[in-house]
Amino acid sequence: MNPPLKTAASEPTKQTLDILKTLIGFNTVSRESNLGLIEWVRDYLEGLGAQTRLTYDAQRRKANLFATVAGAAQGRSRFGTVFSGHTDVVPVTGQNWDTDPFAAHVAGGKLFGRGACDMKGFIAVCLARLAAVDQGRLHTPLHISFSYDEEVGCLGVRELLADLKHNDIKPTGVIIGEPTSMQAVIAHKGKRSYRCSVHGHAAHSSCPHLGINSIDFAAMMQLKIREIAMRVRDSEARDYDFDVPYSSIVTTLSNGGNAPNIIPDKAEFVFEHRFLPGIDPQQVFEEVKSYAQREVVPQMAIEGAQGRIEFETLTAYPGMNTPADDPIVASALRILGDERAHKVGFGTEGGLFGAAGMPAVICGPGDIAQAHKPNEFVTLEQLARCESFFDNYLASANLNPA
């Protein structure tokens, strides 16, 4: 029999707010080190009796943290639920904030600060509520996973997952606390993004026949990508549980040339493919590459010079598609009091956890519409709901009856 559920308070505990203020005070923009935050969290968790492990990037400027609280469940590290979040945040450069983005500010039932919504609020809740867990009642371990560089392509979590595999640690499910307004999400699109560099040959603009105009040929490529995008939109099977029910392909950046009177010798652009779960993104990329080599490059030639087109993959993470009947989904829905789960367009580390054999549910405080913006905030009510969810999930899935 499931234990009765606790009702959420109207505001979070002081401990959650204090921890969140501390976390926001660490500038963990993706280009910066996150070690200050990670080491603070490690020391906090070890103070609660958790076993911790760090995995670093190649320069040892950044680290993931994986922690296990086992209590009475010692020796069962292959089981249990992971509460997972990322520690990096997006830049504030060029944004007009009313307050210091790295000094949390509470006003009008909201807590403002970079990362308050995405996603240090969730991290703070996990840390604060963990202190209240009766570890002697744990029948399966509780795991905490905090990664680096999620915002620039889910980079850090790959090292974390490789470490777990190497050490035969395989929890049975993951709760990812990205902002979903405390709704259960079981699917999101995958993403590939690419840089296309078009190399031509410079000449005076009055003699275009002596140059290879990289901007012209980059434009040909972009038009082809749009053609493919329209075909995919019109022909692909749709999933109307997503706000955008088809896979989208768009050019997002474009630049080239260095003076008005020079035939440009280089142009480049970035395009992305956000694809529905189950779609193979490689097919689209191969079609773009094939068009470049078959149709465009042969035209990029003059006497004594031959142009070329190069591609670089910038971002690649899989979609997430947790079965609706998975036990972790059923548990989350029961605790939330919802009848069905949702799907979202933004990406998370969930697809990578799923590929590693750990089904995931995304559920966290805050609205994604507030993420990445100036004056980012999370409401106190959402933090309180997250506290209630954490407590109730543990009581349902990990704790023996008192």
Side-chain angles (χ1 to χ4, degrees):
M1 178 181 293
N2 291 312
L5 300 178
K6 286 184 179 180
T7 303
S10 59
E11 292 191 356
T13 60
K14 181 178 183 298
Q15 188 173 15
T16 288
L17 292 178
D18 288 345
I19 291 175
L20 180 50
K21 291 175 182 178
T22 298
L23 297 178
I24 288 174
F26 290 102
N27 179 351
T28 54
V29 170
S30 299
R31 63 173 173 263
E32 307 292 342
S33 170
N34 75 335
L35 291 182
L37 182 150
I38 284 291
E39 290 168 356
W40 185 90
V41 172
R42 177 198 60 195
D43 294 345
Y44 175 92
L45 290 171
E46 289 182 351
L48 298 178
Q51 297 176 332
T52 65
R53 56 196 308 119
L54 301 183
T55 50
Y56 293 89
D57 70 343
Q59 293 76 37
R60 295 186 72 84
R61 291 184 64 248
K62 302 176 182 180
N64 306 298
L65 180 146
F66 188 84
T68 299
V69 176
Q74 291 289 347
R76 305 190 70 201
S77 62
R78 297 190 74 252
F79 301 93
T81 301
V82 181
F83 284 80
S84 176
H86 63 81
T87 61
D88 62 317
V89 297
V90 298
V92 299
T93 306
Q95 294 187 341
N96 185 22
W97 284 70
D98 295 332
T99 58
D100 183 347
F102 297 107
H105 172 69
V106 178
K110 303 171 183 177
L111 187 145
F112 297 85
R114 175 54 88 219
C117 171
D118 186 15
M119 55 180 300
K120 291 180 177 179
F122 176 79
I123 293 175
V125 167
C126 293
L127 296 177
R129 299 314 301 155
L130 188 59
V133 173
D134 182 353
Q135 297 184 29
R137 292 175 54 205
L138 286 171
H139 64 80
T140 57
L142 170 63
H143 307 284
I144 299 291
S145 167
F146 299 147
S147 65
Y148 68 83
D149 282 1
E150 187 271 350
E151 294 288 5
V152 291
C154 300
L155 303 182
V157 73
R158 301 168 198 263
E159 299 298 324
L160 184 150
L161 290 171
D163 180 68
L164 297 187
K165 182 178 180 180
H166 178 75
N167 289 279
D168 197 30
I169 301 172
K170 189 176 181 181
T172 50
V174 186
I175 303 292
I176 299 176
E178 294 277 6
T180 66
S181 299
M182 292 307 300
Q183 295 181 314
V185 169
I186 59 171
H188 66 66
K189 294 179 179 180
K191 179 182 175 181
R192 293 265 189 100
S193 66
Y194 310 92
R195 178 182 290 114
C196 177
S197 299
V198 182
H199 300 269
H201 186 74
H204 195 285
S205 61
S206 65
C207 303
H209 62 291
L210 300 179
I212 301 173
N213 193 321
S214 60
I215 289 179
D216 283 355
F217 292 109
M220 288 179 63
M221 292 296 304
Q222 291 175 50
L223 287 173
K224 180 63 175 180
I225 289 167
R226 177 172 171 76
E227 175 192 312
I228 295 171
M230 295 301 99
R231 187 190 72 228
V232 166
R233 183 195 67 181
D234 295 338
S235 64
E236 188 178 81
R238 299 195 170 198
D239 185 341
Y240 287 97
D241 286 337
F242 287 95
D243 288 344
V244 179
Y246 50 85
S247 300
S248 60
I249 309 163
V250 294
T251 298
T252 56
L253 290 171
S254 182
N255 63 78
N258 49 30
N261 58 351
I262 299 176
I263 298 297
D265 63 350
K266 184 177 180 181
E268 63 179 29
F269 63 93
V270 172
F271 66 102
E272 69 168 38
H273 182 193
R274 292 184 183 263
F275 49 93
L276 293 172
I279 296 296
D280 179 7
Q282 192 64 24
Q283 294 179 2
V284 163
F285 181 56
E286 292 298 332
E287 183 175 356
V288 173
K289 270 204 318 183
S290 175
Y291 175 78
Q293 297 306 313
R294 186 184 68 251
E295 301 291 341
V296 182
V297 171
Q299 301 182 51
M300 298 174 64
I302 59 173
E303 184 176 352
Q306 172 65 57
R308 69 187 191 278
I309 296 177
E310 299 171 339
F311 294 91
E312 176 189 359
T313 301
L314 303 178
T315 304
Y317 60 75
M320 176 182 129
N321 195 21
T322 304
D325 59 355
D326 192 275
I328 195 170
V329 179
S331 294
L333 289 176
R334 187 185 72 82
I335 292 163
L336 294 167
D338 293 336
E339 294 184 357
R340 62 187 294 271
H342 302 270
K343 300 179 182 182
V344 294
F346 64 85
T348 77
E349 297 168 338
L352 293 165
F353 276 106
M358 293 173 249
V361 170
I362 309 166
C363 183
D367 186 337
I368 194 65
Q370 302 305 324
H372 300 192
K373 295 169 63 174
N375 300 320
E376 176 183 348
F377 69 84
V378 63
T379 67
L380 303 187
E381 179 268 342
Q382 282 282 299
L383 292 172
R385 287 185 62 190
C386 188
E387 287 184 331
S388 175
F389 176 81
F390 185 97
D391 292 347
N392 284 318
Y393 187 92
L394 241 62
S396 298
N398 286 68
L399 296 178
N400 289 310

PDB file of all heavy atoms in Angstrom, residues 7 56 178 186 194 197 237 240 336 385:
ATOM      1  N   THR A   7       0.863  17.150   1.662  1.00  0.00           N
ATOM      2  CA  THR A   7       0.395  18.294   0.883  1.00  0.00           C
ATOM      3  C   THR A   7       1.485  19.354   0.839  1.00  0.00           C
ATOM      4  O   THR A   7       2.175  19.602   1.835  1.00  0.00           O
ATOM      5  CB  THR A   7      -0.879  18.886   1.516  1.00  0.00           C
ATOM      6  OG1 THR A   7      -1.873  17.855   1.590  1.00  0.00           O
ATOM      7  CG2 THR A   7      -1.405  20.046   0.688  1.00  0.00           C
ATOM      8  N   TYR A  56      35.947  14.501 -14.136  1.00  0.00           N
ATOM      9  CA  TYR A  56      36.423  15.799 -14.591  1.00  0.00           C
ATOM     10  C   TYR A  56      36.459  15.891 -16.115  1.00  0.00           C
ATOM     11  O   TYR A  56      36.528  14.877 -16.815  1.00  0.00           O
ATOM     12  CB  TYR A  56      37.836  16.051 -14.052  1.00  0.00           C
ATOM     13  CG  TYR A  56      37.910  16.219 -12.556  1.00  0.00           C
ATOM     14  CD1 TYR A  56      38.077  15.118 -11.722  1.00  0.00           C
ATOM     15  CD2 TYR A  56      37.831  17.481 -11.970  1.00  0.00           C
ATOM     16  CE1 TYR A  56      38.161  15.267 -10.338  1.00  0.00           C
ATOM     17  CE2 TYR A  56      37.918  17.640 -10.592  1.00  0.00           C
ATOM     18  CZ  TYR A  56      38.075  16.533  -9.785  1.00  0.00           C
ATOM     19  OH  TYR A  56      38.150  16.681  -8.423  1.00  0.00           O
ATOM     20  N   GLU A 178      14.636  19.610 -14.686  1.00  0.00           N
ATOM     21  CA  GLU A 178      14.472  20.767 -15.564  1.00  0.00           C
ATOM     22  C   GLU A 178      13.095  21.406 -15.321  1.00  0.00           C
ATOM     23  O   GLU A 178      12.144  20.716 -14.922  1.00  0.00           O
ATOM     24  CB  GLU A 178      14.583  20.351 -17.037  1.00  0.00           C
ATOM     25  CG  GLU A 178      15.952  19.857 -17.459  1.00  0.00           C
ATOM     26  CD  GLU A 178      16.918  20.984 -17.802  1.00  0.00           C
ATOM     27  OE1 GLU A 178      16.553  22.161 -17.605  1.00  0.00           O
ATOM     28  OE2 GLU A 178      18.029  20.672 -18.256  1.00  0.00           O
ATOM     29  N   ILE A 186       7.770  12.924 -20.276  1.00  0.00           N
ATOM     30  CA  ILE A 186       8.374  11.629 -20.601  1.00  0.00           C
ATOM     31  C   ILE A 186       9.064  11.607 -21.964  1.00  0.00           C
ATOM     32  O   ILE A 186       9.652  10.593 -22.327  1.00  0.00           O
ATOM     33  CB  ILE A 186       7.334  10.491 -20.543  1.00  0.00           C
ATOM     34  CG1 ILE A 186       6.182  10.757 -21.527  1.00  0.00           C
ATOM     35  CG2 ILE A 186       6.824  10.301 -19.126  1.00  0.00           C
ATOM     36  CD1 ILE A 186       5.230   9.566 -21.673  1.00  0.00           C
ATOM     37  N   TYR A 194      25.034  21.801 -36.684  1.00  0.00           N
ATOM     38  CA  TYR A 194      26.231  21.697 -37.521  1.00  0.00           C
ATOM     39  C   TYR A 194      26.694  23.078 -37.961  1.00  0.00           C
ATOM     40  O   TYR A 194      25.877  23.980 -38.185  1.00  0.00           O
ATOM     41  CB  TYR A 194      25.936  20.888 -38.790  1.00  0.00           C
ATOM     42  CG  TYR A 194      25.249  19.573 -38.568  1.00  0.00           C
ATOM     43  CD1 TYR A 194      23.848  19.485 -38.605  1.00  0.00           C
ATOM     44  CD2 TYR A 194      25.968  18.410 -38.343  1.00  0.00           C
ATOM     45  CE1 TYR A 194      23.211  18.271 -38.416  1.00  0.00           C
ATOM     46  CE2 TYR A 194      25.336  17.193 -38.155  1.00  0.00           C
ATOM     47  CZ  TYR A 194      23.954  17.126 -38.201  1.00  0.00           C
ATOM     48  OH  TYR A 194      23.312  15.925 -38.006  1.00  0.00           O
ATOM     49  N   SER A 197      31.069  25.274 -43.350  1.00  0.00           N
ATOM     50  CA  SER A 197      32.052  26.268 -43.795  1.00  0.00           C
ATOM     51  C   SER A 197      32.257  26.130 -45.297  1.00  0.00           C
ATOM     52  O   SER A 197      32.604  25.053 -45.790  1.00  0.00           O
ATOM     53  CB  SER A 197      33.380  26.068 -43.066  1.00  0.00           C
ATOM     54  OG  SER A 197      33.218  26.230 -41.666  1.00  0.00           O
ATOM     55  N   ALA A 237       5.502  11.661 -40.174  1.00  0.00           N
ATOM     56  CA  ALA A 237       4.404  11.381 -39.251  1.00  0.00           C
ATOM     57  C   ALA A 237       4.490  12.325 -38.062  1.00  0.00           C
ATOM     58  O   ALA A 237       5.570  12.557 -37.510  1.00  0.00           O
ATOM     59  CB  ALA A 237       4.481   9.931 -38.782  1.00  0.00           C
ATOM     60  N   TYR A 240       1.314  15.002 -32.075  1.00  0.00           N
ATOM     61  CA  TYR A 240       0.671  16.228 -31.630  1.00  0.00           C
ATOM     62  C   TYR A 240       0.753  16.437 -30.127  1.00  0.00           C
ATOM     63  O   TYR A 240       0.225  17.425 -29.604  1.00  0.00           O
ATOM     64  CB  TYR A 240      -0.784  16.255 -32.108  1.00  0.00           C
ATOM     65  CG  TYR A 240      -0.885  16.501 -33.594  1.00  0.00           C
ATOM     66  CD1 TYR A 240      -1.030  15.441 -34.484  1.00  0.00           C
ATOM     67  CD2 TYR A 240      -0.796  17.788 -34.112  1.00  0.00           C
ATOM     68  CE1 TYR A 240      -1.093  15.659 -35.853  1.00  0.00           C
ATOM     69  CE2 TYR A 240      -0.859  18.027 -35.476  1.00  0.00           C
ATOM     70  CZ  TYR A 240      -1.012  16.954 -36.338  1.00  0.00           C
ATOM     71  OH  TYR A 240      -1.063  17.187 -37.697  1.00  0.00           O
ATOM     72  N   LEU A 336       2.088  13.432  -8.234  1.00  0.00           N
ATOM     73  CA  LEU A 336       1.671  14.741  -8.727  1.00  0.00           C
ATOM     74  C   LEU A 336       0.158  14.883  -8.835  1.00  0.00           C
ATOM     75  O   LEU A 336      -0.368  15.988  -8.959  1.00  0.00           O
ATOM     76  CB  LEU A 336       2.295  14.997 -10.108  1.00  0.00           C
ATOM     77  CG  LEU A 336       3.821  15.128 -10.135  1.00  0.00           C
ATOM     78  CD1 LEU A 336       4.324  15.063 -11.570  1.00  0.00           C
ATOM     79  CD2 LEU A 336       4.276  16.419  -9.470  1.00  0.00           C
ATOM     80  N   ARG A 385       6.291  23.065  -3.988  1.00  0.00           N
ATOM     81  CA  ARG A 385       5.733  21.877  -4.640  1.00  0.00           C
ATOM     82  C   ARG A 385       6.823  20.854  -4.929  1.00  0.00           C
ATOM     83  O   ARG A 385       6.601  19.638  -4.821  1.00  0.00           O
ATOM     84  CB  ARG A 385       5.016  22.265  -5.923  1.00  0.00           C
ATOM     85  CG  ARG A 385       3.679  22.967  -5.720  1.00  0.00           C
ATOM     86  CD  ARG A 385       2.986  23.200  -7.049  1.00  0.00           C
ATOM     87  NE  ARG A 385       2.690  21.941  -7.730  1.00  0.00           N
ATOM     88  CZ  ARG A 385       2.271  21.844  -8.983  1.00  0.00           C
ATOM     89  NH1 ARG A 385       2.115  22.937  -9.700  1.00  0.00           N
ATOM     90  NH2 ARG A 385       2.026  20.676  -9.517  1.00  0.00           N
TER      91      ARG A 385
END
